[in-house]
Amino acid sequence: MDNLGRGSDPSPEGGGQVAPDRRPPVPLPYEGVWRFTAPAIDASVPQARHAVRDLLIRQRVPVSDDLAQGLLLIVSELVTNAVRHAALLSPILAVEVAVGAEWVRVSVEDNHPYRPTALEADHGQTGGRGLLLVREVTRESGGVCDVEHTASGGKVIWAALPLTPSVV
């Protein structure tokens, strides 16, 4: 996976330039990057959600209940999309959680080259709104989300949310 969001800034171009005369601050105890893989099957959706929830608790990431619920919803939707739409070409998916001092970023990577789009679903349909939901939860939290191609020809879909939510 590309080095997306592993610096002090959650955006893909992030990494934050440090002035030559300043030392980077000492990382907070909850900062870091964690990655795990899972088979692209339905059972991986709740497993990924529980793994992310347990990580946030174990690392004592200072997330509000609303922010944690938003992150878990995003993880569920992104893993569900990978299972439903990419499993044929990508039997394994990767979930990454990156936590900085002021943000938390979740991403799901698969090896399918198709770049998904958020579709307006028919009200009678039971599915098809996952990426719209991810985009809306991210926006309401004051965060950013995007889809990037990987060097291996797949994609990574990510959402970064501030630990201190902004008022929209």
Side-chain angles (χ1 to χ4, degrees):
M1 177 183 236
D2 295 326
N3 185 21
L4 303 176
R6 290 193 177 117
S8 60
D9 181 339
S11 66
E13 297 79 30
Q17 298 297 323
V18 177
D21 60 336
R22 290 189 50 204
R23 295 181 106 149
V26 176
L28 295 168
Y30 58 81
E31 289 184 87
V33 178
W34 297 267
R35 181 179 170 96
F36 60 91
T37 59
I41 60 174
D42 289 336
S44 294
V45 176
Q47 290 173 352
R49 187 176 54 247
H50 293 296
V52 171
R53 181 201 63 207
D54 293 347
L55 173 70
L56 295 172
I57 293 168
R58 184 177 62 248
Q59 293 304 123
R60 295 188 176 131
V61 179
V63 293
S64 67
D65 287 341
D66 287 345
L67 188 63
Q69 292 304 315
L71 282 168
L72 297 178
L73 178 62
I74 289 169
V75 168
S76 292
E77 292 299 331
L78 296 182
V79 173
T80 296
N81 282 351
V83 167
R84 288 191 181 157
H85 304 294
L88 184 61
L89 294 178
S90 184
I92 301 292
L93 58 92
V95 177
E96 185 174 278
V97 180
V99 183
E102 299 175 352
W103 53 267
V104 59
R105 180 181 177 274
V106 294
S107 63
V108 175
E109 180 180 345
D110 63 58
N111 289 321
H112 196 291
Y114 173 70
R115 182 182 172 112
T117 56
L119 302 174
E120 295 290 339
D122 181 331
H123 291 292
Q125 289 182 310
T126 58
R129 296 180 189 91
L131 288 178
L132 287 172
L133 193 55
V134 168
R135 189 170 57 197
E136 186 62 19
V137 168
T138 302
R139 185 193 66 76
E140 285 182 5
S141 298
V144 292
C145 61
D146 203 0
V147 179
E148 303 289 333
H149 288 288
T150 62
S152 64
K155 67 185 166 301
V156 60
I157 305 174
W158 59 269
L161 308 180
L163 289 176
T164 305
S166 64
V167 176
V168 178

